[in-house]
Amino acid sequence: KSEIIGTWKESETGIDETFTFNSDGTGKYSCLYDGETYECNFNYEFLRSDYVDIYFDDDTEGGFQFEIADDKMTVRNDYVEGLVYTRQ
């Protein structure tokens, strides 16, 4: 579980999505939205060793299955299949 700790960024979609996972179960999300940077804090918990559920401060939630190899994290959920984030 500690392998997810840190900052992860993806640039394939053009929204420069970034997740930062802290060791205390909190984190920060950011992305480009309508040409401006959107930021939101979140809390997260593991539902199993390869699945994390995220509760955002804007009262939304989501989750994803992940696989980490070296400095790459591949994410899958109902909306994406194999989106790759790079450790920063």
Side-chain angles (χ1 to χ4, degrees), residues 8-18 83-86:
W8 301 88
K9 183 175 183 177
E10 78 77 30
S11 301
E12 292 177 27
T13 62
I15 62 171
D16 293 334
E17 193 171 47
T18 303
L83 192 59
V84 178
Y85 291 75
T86 303

Side-chain angles (χ1 to χ4, degrees), residues 44-58:
Y44 70 94
E45 66 179 337
F46 287 92
L47 297 185
R48 56 179 200 254
S49 64
D50 68 340
Y51 190 92
V52 65
D53 210 10
I54 301 174
Y55 306 94
F56 296 95
D57 281 357
D58 66 3

Side-chain angles (χ1 to χ4, degrees), residues 1-2 4-8 18-30 40-46 52-57 64:
K1 293 180 181 180
S2 64
I4 201 169
I5 304 304
T7 299
W8 301 88
T18 303
F19 285 93
T20 299
F21 294 92
N22 302 316
S23 60
D24 65 357
T26 65
K28 185 176 217 169
Y29 170 80
S30 69
C40 187
N41 294 317
F42 63 82
N43 293 305
Y44 70 94
E45 66 179 337
F46 287 92
V52 65
D53 210 10
I54 301 174
Y55 306 94
F56 296 95
D57 281 357
F64 55 81

